[in-house]
Amino acid sequence: MRILITGISGFVGPYLARYIAETAPGAEIWGLVWAAEPAKANSGIRLVEGDLTDISTLKAALKQVQPEIIFHLAASSSVASSWDHPGRFLEVNAVGTVNLLEVVRLQNLHARVVVSSSAEVYGAVPKEQQPITERSPLEPLSPYAASKAAQDLLTAQYFYGHGMPTIRLRLFHHTGPGRPTQFVASSFAYQIARIERGIDPPRLAVGNLEAVRDFTDVRDISRAYWLAAMRGKPGAAYNVCSSRGISIQGVLDTLLAQSGVDVEVEVDLGRLRAADIPYLVGDHSKFSDATDWQTEIPLEKTLSDLLDWWRKNIERSTE
């Protein structure tokens, strides 16, 4: 079995590759990397260069790999950054996905393609209509969300229009060790680790603490990708989430309790979004019914592991 993971050097990619290697030890795992961004693969993973915005490089990469399963994780993923670079997000997330699917079609690969969509595509669903199901309309608020909604719909079109076995995973928030600091839980953990070390004074910068989100551990997410490829229905869209909401304040409180440091919390206006979703909690029953997937790792364990990771890797600052 030949497997290609785009975005192998991102956050989820290495976790997914390790899970596949453990679950299907006979699989030949390839990772697509951007030539302009050096990447080091895990042992046993082969790398191939390609750029989602340059279809000629994708043609060469897929001709070499001949994948039977593609996990399309590569994306521009920061909601905050999308407000400053909307065109780039559309180019990478929407046009880049079309380029990938076109190459699969043109090369007649018959590969099953699992595409990483986002819960952000749903927009601000009223709280009384949550948890959100896959039947909710796509009403994106940010440029990032709009680019992912376009990606989501285009992926569906390749199933309906070309019979390509595509599957969309609408991922809600996920975190864990190694998450970049532009994402909220990791930002908190990183700041706390620096305060613990005495590098920074006991002041912690935050954005909107009232928002409620649905968090899943990245290790549970990796298992979800694999089960989607093995048991998911072609053409389907699935929510992948814990179906449990927690406020960002609650995430912060959990991390502070695990640390024991006393900090002064300060709102940083630069961390507030022009349009923020107040409440975002999903219903994963459709996915669980299809694949028997359930979350296994409690959020407290996820946050503890994240904080410990930053304690050991404090020099890896991306802020």
Side-chain angles (χ1 to χ4, degrees), residues 11-187:
F11 172 50
V12 180
Y15 281 99
L16 176 57
R18 284 194 293 271
Y19 183 82
I20 295 172
E22 293 168 359
T23 304
E28 184 178 303
I29 306 172
W30 290 77
L32 184 73
V33 295
W34 187 31
E37 184 178 54
K40 183 179 179 181
N42 296 329
S43 176
I45 300 175
R46 308 178 188 188
L47 299 181
V48 61
E49 291 185 355
D51 185 338
L52 292 175
T53 64
D54 183 350
I55 196 169
S56 64
T57 67
L58 295 178
K59 288 179 178 178
L62 269 65
K63 184 177 181 180
Q64 178 180 352
V65 177
Q66 293 289 298
E68 298 164 85
I69 299 174
I70 299 173
F71 294 99
H72 180 37
L73 280 58
S76 292
S77 58
S78 170
V79 175
S81 297
S82 74
W83 291 97
D84 297 321
H85 308 285
R88 177 61 179 171
F89 275 70
L90 186 65
E91 181 182 23
V92 172
N93 295 344
V95 177
T97 298
V98 169
N99 288 342
L100 178 66
L101 296 176
E102 268 295 279
V103 173
V104 172
R105 184 182 71 84
L106 293 172
Q107 294 187 0
N108 200 29
L109 291 175
H110 304 293
R112 176 167 289 212
V113 186
V114 180
V115 174
S116 175
S117 184
S118 168
E120 291 279 336
V121 302
Y122 293 122
V125 178
K127 185 177 179 180
E128 60 270 17
Q129 297 177 21
Q130 299 199 39
I132 299 167
T133 72
E134 293 83 356
R135 295 186 299 274
S136 296
L138 308 190
E139 297 180 344
L141 293 185
S142 68
Y144 165 76
S147 72
K148 296 298 280 187
Q151 175 199 56
D152 193 300
L153 293 171
L154 287 163
T155 300
Q157 189 274 322
Y158 271 79
F159 169 75
Y160 291 113
H162 301 293
M164 187 179 296
T166 61
I167 297 169
R168 292 157 286 153
L169 297 188
R170 293 175 182 165
L171 303 171
F172 285 66
H173 278 55
H174 47 284
T175 192
R179 187 64 154 159
T181 56
Q182 63 261 41
F183 299 94
V184 63
S186 198
S187 173

Side-chain angles (χ1 to χ4, degrees), residues 292-308:
D292 293 326
W293 178 87
Q294 297 286 339
T295 58
E296 296 179 351
I297 302 173
L299 180 58
E300 293 76 11
K301 167 68 172 171
T302 303
L303 295 177
S304 175
D305 289 350
L306 174 60
L307 181 56
D308 284 344

Side-chain angles (χ1 to χ4, degrees), residues 163-221:
M164 187 179 296
T166 61
I167 297 169
R168 292 157 286 153
L169 297 188
R170 293 175 182 165
L171 303 171
F172 285 66
H173 278 55
H174 47 284
T175 192
R179 187 64 154 159
T181 56
Q182 63 261 41
F183 299 94
V184 63
S186 198
S187 173
F188 292 163
Y190 167 72
Q191 292 181 74
I192 290 170
R194 288 179 64 89
I195 292 169
E196 288 179 337
R197 188 80 65 87
I199 299 171
D200 292 336
R203 290 192 298 273
L204 198 145
V206 303
N208 177 16
L209 295 178
E210 296 181 359
V212 172
R213 295 293 183 265
D214 183 331
F215 284 90
T216 301
D217 191 285
V218 63
R219 291 158 288 196
D220 283 333
I221 292 292

